[in-house]
Amino acid sequence: DTAVSQTPKYLVTQMGNDKSIKCEQNLGHDTMYWYKQDSKKFLKIMFSYNNKELIINETVPNRFSPKSPDKAHLNLHINSLELGDSAVYFCASSQVEATDTQYFGPGTRLTVL
Amino acid sequence: QKEVEQNSGPLSVPEGAIASLNCTYSDRGSQSFFWYRQYSGKSPELIMFIYSNGDKEDGRFTAQLNKASQYVSLLIRDSQPSDSATYLCAVTPSGGSYIPTFGRGTSLIVHP
């Protein structure tokens, strides 16, 4: 069974478009995350979300917004896509404790033309 | 700003050798330390975690933590070509946060 899944795996779109990436986890975890991994492989946290709070990395443009319909899902909406948004986006989940492992989805490679 | 530093490499070792990967962190109160492996085009997967000073062994992998010197390392014994990947160090900071900070990763190449 897939623990953390993301769709789509690849996303190619034009500048200015709005797109969404979906994420689902079946691990029963309390917390989900979105990470961006750039071309230099640097993995940077974008959002952390559980049923109590949303933590936003202040460097993330407000064109990015997480939406969680329920505990098992955290989708990422991106408005007015820019060239610099091209990257691999990973969803992850964990329990809320600091000692807990993060489980990553397979990633979505976003290319903005 | 809390930082996690790794040498980007690549670190090249012959098959059968010991690969030593290092990571330093700036937040002295950091709580938990993780090593993730990421193959090219794949997602990170956990190899080991360590919370206390000293060594922790799991098969061919040993994590070493020295909180006084603020570094954590990963040793891979009997390195195999299948170990070739990028290794990411992640540190959970002090202050009750559960969100880890990742280093930029070290690329390891194990050549036959």
Side-chain angles (χ1 to χ4, degrees):
Chain A
D1 285 342
T2 302
V4 183
S5 59
Q6 291 177 234
T7 55
K9 189 170 176 62
Y10 299 97
L11 184 54
V12 181
T13 187
Q14 300 286 334
M15 268 198 317
N17 284 350
D18 302 338
K19 290 294 179 184
S20 295
I21 305 172
K22 294 185 177 181
C23 178
E24 176 181 1
Q25 56 98 2
N26 63 5
L27 298 168
H29 286 161
D30 295 322
T31 305
M32 297 182 73
Y33 310 81
W34 277 106
Y35 287 88
K36 178 181 180 181
Q37 189 169 46
D38 61 25
S39 58
K40 295 184 179 180
K41 307 298 183 185
F42 188 30
L43 197 64
K44 186 180 264 190
I45 185 76
M46 300 178 71
F47 304 101
S48 165
Y49 185 81
N50 63 24
N51 58 359
K52 296 177 184 175
E53 64 179 341
L54 169 67
I55 299 176
I56 303 172
N57 184 328
E58 67 245 15
T59 67
V60 175
N62 58 14
R63 298 181 294 104
F64 291 79
S65 58
K67 296 196 190 308
S68 180
D70 55 56
K71 183 178 157 180
H73 297 83
L74 183 65
N75 303 324
L76 182 65
H77 294 267
I78 316 170
N79 295 325
S80 302
L81 278 156
E82 300 178 357
L83 292 176
D85 297 334
S86 295
V88 179
Y89 291 84
F90 287 103
C91 176
S93 73
S94 76
Q95 292 293 13
V96 75
E97 301 301 325
T99 54
D100 284 309
T101 303
Q102 303 225 334
Y103 293 84
F104 286 83
T108 296
R109 181 173 293 277
L110 171 65
T111 303
V112 182
L113 303 176
Chain B
Q1 185 175 352
K2 297 165 183 172
E3 295 180 348
V4 177
E5 300 286 343
Q6 294 181 256
N7 188 324
S8 62
L11 172 66
S12 182
V13 300
E15 185 174 357
I18 296 175
S20 178
L21 304 161
N22 299 314
C23 172
T24 59
Y25 57 94
S26 62
D27 181 4
R28 183 169 288 278
S30 295
Q31 304 178 62
S32 309
F33 307 84
F34 304 83
W35 283 100
Y36 289 83
R37 177 177 62 201
Q38 185 175 23
Y39 291 113
S40 180
K42 302 294 185 182
S43 57
E45 55 179 344
L46 182 75
I47 297 176
M48 291 190 71
F49 58 84
I50 187 168
Y51 311 137
S52 305
N53 273 329
D55 295 358
K56 180 180 179 183
E57 187 174 319
D58 184 0
R60 296 187 296 112
F61 299 96
T62 299
Q64 299 175 318
L65 175 61
N66 184 323
K67 289 188 176 182
S69 299
Q70 294 177 237
Y71 81 77
V72 56
S73 61
L74 180 70
L75 301 178
I76 307 175
R77 290 182 300 282
D78 188 24
S79 295
Q80 301 297 309
S82 60
D83 295 326
S84 299
T86 296
Y87 290 79
L88 303 169
C89 173
V91 177
T92 304
S94 58
S97 172
Y98 50 83
I99 301 173
T101 299
F102 282 81
R104 291 181 176 268
T106 298
S107 174
L108 172 67
I109 299 172
V110 181
H111 53 86

